[in-house]
Amino acid sequence: RDVGLVLGRRGLKRGEIDLARWAINRALVAAPEDERLLVARVRVEHRAGNVSEVERLALRLVRSARRLNIDLADETVVLLQEVMEGRPRSLTIS
């Protein structure tokens, strides 16, 4: 899982979308519900312009968190807002 995450991030940083996608997908075989891996896949698909896959992965992340009764990391929430809505939402304090 860790190797796939590191290799995926390096591939994405170098613009090697296919390498990043492959590495992260291999790691997801070992840890299919891992939030960090799914977030990395969202980043890859967003960079690739694959809107439908970004939406599918976002839904998968949210459903998994609900099923496990956990909160997504703040970084994950901000990323999902950016890729789904174009920007993070601002916090309103009442």
Side-chain angles (χ1 to χ4, degrees), residues 26-54:
R26 297 306 309 152
L28 281 166
V29 171
E33 299 299 320
D34 186 88
E35 183 176 341
R36 291 170 72 189
L37 288 171
L38 290 169
V39 164
R41 264 301 302 281
V42 167
R43 290 183 194 282
V44 167
E45 297 307 330
H46 181 66
R47 174 84 60 87
N50 191 346
V51 175
S52 62
E53 186 65 4
V54 169

Side-chain angles (χ1 to χ4, degrees), residues 6-17 19-20 47:
V6 169
L7 185 57
R9 286 178 177 166
R10 286 182 184 171
L12 186 61
K13 188 175 183 177
R14 292 192 308 228
E16 298 177 23
I17 300 299
L19 172 64
R47 174 84 60 87

Side-chain angles (χ1 to χ4, degrees), residues 30-85:
E33 299 299 320
D34 186 88
E35 183 176 341
R36 291 170 72 189
L37 288 171
L38 290 169
V39 164
R41 264 301 302 281
V42 167
R43 290 183 194 282
V44 167
E45 297 307 330
H46 181 66
R47 174 84 60 87
N50 191 346
V51 175
S52 62
E53 186 65 4
V54 169
E55 291 172 352
R56 188 189 73 76
L57 290 165
L59 185 58
R60 180 176 171 184
L61 272 162
V62 171
R63 283 183 177 163
S64 178
R66 285 184 184 154
R67 184 176 58 253
L68 297 172
N69 197 29
I70 59 170
D71 292 331
L72 293 171
D74 291 342
E75 173 186 307
T76 301
V77 172
V78 169
L79 173 68
L80 293 179
Q81 290 170 350
E82 288 174 353
V83 299
M84 298 299 291
E85 300 171 11

